[in-house]
């Protein structure tokens, strides 16, 4: 109750406030930055655009430039579904928008939910405020409608002054027929894999299914049948 009452100095709410405790907060920006540096230091990361036309399948191996491997796994967002291997999957893209805000004084040890907004610690003391889930849109650009709506919502709930620093938008790869991802290997080309279609749950689902794919490769453990791309064997075709 004490913590909930403390929130009243930051937020206005007719219904009061509730606190969920304990929770774990993954600080993604430093995590990804440090992991990227580790991969670069070990020579395991090429920071260059992937060129699909350079990829060749050769005797159950994958050849790309001077790299020869047993498998390739596509986890490159919406670009995965432009490839001939996966273009028959029932994918869909939905648009999400968010504001980047400066809210001085708001403690960054928490994630806050105010109205329809989720206010998440970003980096450099800033906040990510979002997000939307749009199945109908004209383009992948930020919209004035979203910005005005979110600013009004922040003005309604926040007792603290705030400044909008940036407005971002992007397209999420999702699954049209069910809210389950694509994970695993092509039924007719087992050297070609996929880890995609996470929708809004990428931060939680991607590590889980990446682990399943890894254990499948190393120990032949099965991938969860509800997510295994093999469930779409009938509509996938050999290339």
């Amino acid at each position: 109750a004490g913590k909930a009452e403390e929130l009243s100095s930051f937020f206005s709410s007719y219904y009061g406030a509730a606190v969920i405790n304990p929770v774990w907060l993954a600080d993604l920006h430093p995590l990804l930055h440090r992991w990227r540096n580790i991969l670069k230091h070990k020579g395991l990361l090429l920071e260059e655009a992937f060129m699909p036309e350079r990829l060749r399948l050769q005797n159950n191996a994958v050849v790309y430039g001077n790299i020869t491997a047993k498998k390739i796994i596509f986890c490159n967002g919406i670009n995965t579904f432009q490839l001939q291997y996966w273009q028959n999957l029932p994918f869909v893209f939905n648009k999400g928008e968010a504001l980047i805000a400066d809210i001085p004084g708001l403690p960054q040890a928490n994630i806050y939910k105010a109205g329809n907004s989720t206010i998440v610690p970003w980096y450099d003391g800033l906040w990510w405020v979002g997000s939307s889930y749009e199945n109908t849109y004209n383009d992948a650009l930020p919209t004035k409608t979203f910005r005005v709506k979110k600013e009004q919502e922040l003005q309604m709930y926040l007792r603290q002054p705030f400044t909008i620093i940036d407005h971002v938008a992007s397209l999420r790869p999702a699954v049209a027929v069910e809210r389950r991802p694509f994970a695993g290997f092509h039924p007719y080309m087992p050297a070609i894999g996929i880890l995609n279609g996470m929708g809004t749950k990428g931060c939680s689902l991607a590590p889980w299914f990446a682990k399943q794919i890894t254990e499948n490769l190393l120990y032949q453990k099965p991938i969860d049948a509800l997510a295994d791309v093999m469930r779409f064997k009938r509509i996938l075709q050999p290339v």
Side-chain angles (χ1 to χ4, degrees), residues 173-175 180-183 195-203 205-206 209-210:
V175 183
R180 304 186 187 111
F182 305 117
L195 179 63
N196 213 313
M198 306 290 165
T200 61
K201 305 298 183 184
C203 287
L205 292 184
F209 286 108

Side-chain angles (χ1 to χ4, degrees), residues 70-231:
K70 293 181 180 179
K71 307 280 185 180
I72 182 171
I73 300 172
F74 288 96
C75 44
N76 52 331
I78 64 175
N79 293 323
T80 290
F81 303 100
Q82 298 173 6
L83 300 169
Q84 54 189 341
Y85 316 111
W86 306 116
Q87 61 187 5
N88 287 345
L89 288 175
F91 62 88
V92 66
F93 304 148
N94 59 67
K95 183 178 178 179
E97 298 187 54
L99 301 180
I100 307 301
D102 183 16
I103 313 174
L106 188 62
Q108 285 215 313
N110 306 295
I111 293 175
Y112 304 97
K113 185 74 175 178
N116 292 318
S117 291
T118 304
I119 305 173
V120 183
W122 196 236
Y123 60 94
D124 293 339
L126 300 177
W127 296 86
W128 180 96
V129 183
S131 172
S132 63
Y133 190 97
E134 305 165 45
N135 289 320
T136 303
Y137 49 87
N138 295 322
D139 52 49
L141 300 174
T143 63
K144 182 179 179 180
T145 301
F146 175 86
R147 177 163 182 155
V148 169
K149 180 180 178 181
K150 283 299 171 188
E151 284 192 23
Q152 290 175 342
E153 199 166 63
L154 288 176
Q155 289 166 355
M156 180 184 301
Y157 286 102
L158 274 178
R159 295 185 185 273
Q160 307 292 111
F162 66 89
T163 303
I164 302 303
I165 304 299
D166 200 1
H167 180 188
V168 296
S170 190
L171 300 181
R172 308 179 185 93
V175 183
V177 295
E178 54 190 25
R179 300 192 71 174
R180 304 186 187 111
F182 305 117
F185 296 91
H186 199 289
Y188 303 105
M189 294 171 288
I192 305 291
I194 188 172
L195 179 63
N196 213 313
M198 306 290 165
T200 61
K201 305 298 183 184
C203 287
S204 55
L205 292 184
W208 176 264
F209 286 108
K211 184 173 185 290
Q212 287 206 6
I213 288 177
T214 301
E215 291 182 341
N216 175 265
L217 287 171
L218 295 177
Y219 313 118
Q220 292 74 54
K221 289 187 177 181
I223 295 169
D224 188 324
L226 294 177
D228 195 335
V229 73
M230 195 68 74
R231 69 192 191 275

